[in-house]
Amino acid sequence: GTPKLAEVSPNEGHHDGTPETHVPPLGLESLRVLDTQLRASSHKRHGLGAHRGRLNIRYGLYDGDFYDGGWCAGREDTEQWLEVDARRLTRFTGVVTQGLNSIWTYDWVTSYKVQVSNDTHTWLPSRNGPRDAGADLLPVPLVGRFLRINPQSWFPNGTICLRAEILVPTPGTPPPPRSHLDFRHNYKEMRKLMKRVSEECPDITRVYSIGQSSRGLRLYVMEISDNPGQHEVGEPEFRYVLLLNLMEFLCREFRLGNPRVVQLVTDTRIHLLPLHEPRRLRDRYKTGKIGISGIDLNHNLRRPEHGLWDARMDNDLVPH
């Protein structure tokens, strides 16, 4: 199950929120995250706006006090959200939530979804599914600049109100060990590697075929993108040839939250064609003439037999 950081009283939500782990917060409670970095879909009034959705923030002292202890949505539906801008690509590892801190009403969220984005336009839902309110580490960390908490259920006699903190990796935590990258592969091993990478990063990969080589072996391509299989207008697309280990690198670095790789996967579609002529590689593997110091594969390719290639070579004319 998901490790719990702290217990939240469902009737009050007035605990001190101190996590029972070393996982550090992004800084909502400490005010390191500024008010300008917090947004919400709606709010009841300014005193219950997004800037009040901070872990352990206290309620107003008087009845009708303009400010109260939390963010409260202006509408009651499952489309409401509280958004945090981390200002840079960040690996989010957990979320801590509390109910409204108030002496006048009892309002709290009982479950929520988590989403991340790099631009606030395209949102990637968490593969973890809906979370129970409280303090949870995400089984699968999310990488992005913006994070949204999207309440799905709340106290039946209350409304959507919460206070929150976002957890990020502990500074100095070593990354997971990386397996040795072998630069020597035959055709069968190539297909096994592509299958393994696809299973390791199913959300950002897609394997497809562009036909067969002149020797009758199927030519496989791995697409790497935040929306594999979808053409996105304005997003550049690239094809790289004979870079088998690049797919391993992009998959693993994306999972580790490498900011440059995350941006590359998010902002482009990458198509990796490991082999132009699979049988040639198979034959060279048998004779030991392939590897880092083997034959120069980048300069031993047949000229593509395709109208688009001819058009590009002839005065850069490419059919629509």
Side-chain angles (χ1 to χ4, degrees), residues 29-319:
E29 180 181 11
S30 67
L31 303 182
R32 186 167 63 249
V33 173
L34 305 178
D35 286 354
T36 54
Q37 294 173 249
L38 299 174
R39 290 200 313 151
S41 53
S42 64
H43 56 261
K44 278 191 172 182
R45 63 175 189 272
H46 180 71
L48 290 171
H51 61 291
R52 300 294 292 174
R54 300 174 179 275
L55 193 73
N56 292 322
I57 199 166
R58 306 301 295 177
Y59 54 78
L61 297 177
Y62 308 103
D63 189 4
D65 198 315
F66 187 71
Y67 293 99
D68 215 337
W71 160 67
C72 290
R75 296 186 294 274
E76 293 185 14
D77 58 56
T78 57
E79 302 302 316
Q80 304 306 302
W81 44 262
L82 176 67
E83 178 185 297
V84 181
D85 178 4
R87 290 187 168 175
R88 62 180 61 86
L89 287 176
T90 303
R91 189 167 183 254
F92 303 109
T93 58
V95 175
V96 182
T97 61
Q98 297 171 320
L100 179 70
N101 185 275
S102 175
I103 60 175
W104 315 111
T105 60
Y106 297 109
D107 299 296
W108 66 89
V109 169
T110 55
S111 69
Y112 58 87
K113 292 182 180 179
V114 179
Q115 297 174 303
V116 292
S117 173
N118 291 327
D119 56 11
T120 72
H121 298 293
T122 302
W123 290 89
L124 177 68
S126 169
R127 290 189 292 133
N128 301 297
R131 315 298 300 162
D132 293 331
D136 285 310
L137 293 178
L138 298 175
V140 180
L142 298 173
V143 178
R145 171 177 169 176
F146 302 89
L147 181 142
R148 280 183 178 178
I149 301 172
N150 173 212
Q152 296 297 293
S153 61
W154 48 92
F155 178 51
N157 295 324
T159 187
I160 301 174
C161 295
L162 63 79
R163 296 171 291 163
E165 182 61 88
I166 311 300
L167 304 180
V168 294
T170 304
T173 300
R178 305 179 190 180
S179 63
H180 173 66
L181 297 181
D182 185 2
F183 287 86
R184 181 183 171 101
H185 293 281
N186 59 26
Y187 183 65
K188 181 179 179 181
E189 290 172 340
M190 177 206 76
R191 291 189 300 175
K192 290 173 62 177
L193 184 145
M194 295 181 75
K195 182 176 185 294
R196 175 168 54 79
V197 173
S198 180
E199 292 174 347
E200 187 176 343
C201 294
D203 289 345
I204 63 169
T205 61
R206 178 177 71 101
V207 177
Y208 64 95
S209 172
I210 59 172
Q212 294 182 338
S213 72
S214 60
R215 305 297 180 87
L217 293 178
R218 191 167 294 278
L219 297 172
Y220 291 102
V221 180
M222 173 169 285
E223 176 190 349
I224 299 180
S225 172
D226 59 333
N227 293 300
Q230 300 181 27
H231 173 72
E232 299 179 75
V233 177
E235 182 171 275
E237 301 197 31
F238 299 88
R239 184 189 70 180
Y240 298 101
V241 180
L242 305 175
L243 292 175
L244 188 59
N245 294 123
L246 181 59
M247 62 183 67
E248 284 189 296
F249 174 81
L250 292 176
C251 170
R252 292 173 187 174
E253 291 299 308
F254 182 86
R255 294 184 65 195
L256 291 172
N258 183 320
R260 295 183 66 184
V261 172
V262 170
Q263 185 172 11
L264 190 66
V265 171
T266 302
D267 295 343
T268 64
R269 288 181 74 192
I270 301 169
H271 303 264
L272 300 176
L273 174 60
L275 303 176
H276 260 191
E277 196 62 81
R279 185 169 177 178
R280 288 185 183 181
L281 180 63
R282 182 180 63 187
D283 295 341
R284 287 172 186 146
Y285 179 84
K286 290 180 179 178
T287 60
K289 294 182 178 180
I290 185 170
I292 300 176
S293 59
I295 192 167
D296 185 356
L297 296 176
N298 288 319
H299 295 86
N300 196 43
L301 302 178
R302 298 170 53 202
R303 183 177 180 273
E305 303 297 333
H306 198 287
L308 287 177
W309 177 272
D310 293 332
R312 188 178 72 82
M313 296 300 291
D314 297 334
N315 299 321
D316 291 327
L317 299 177
V318 179

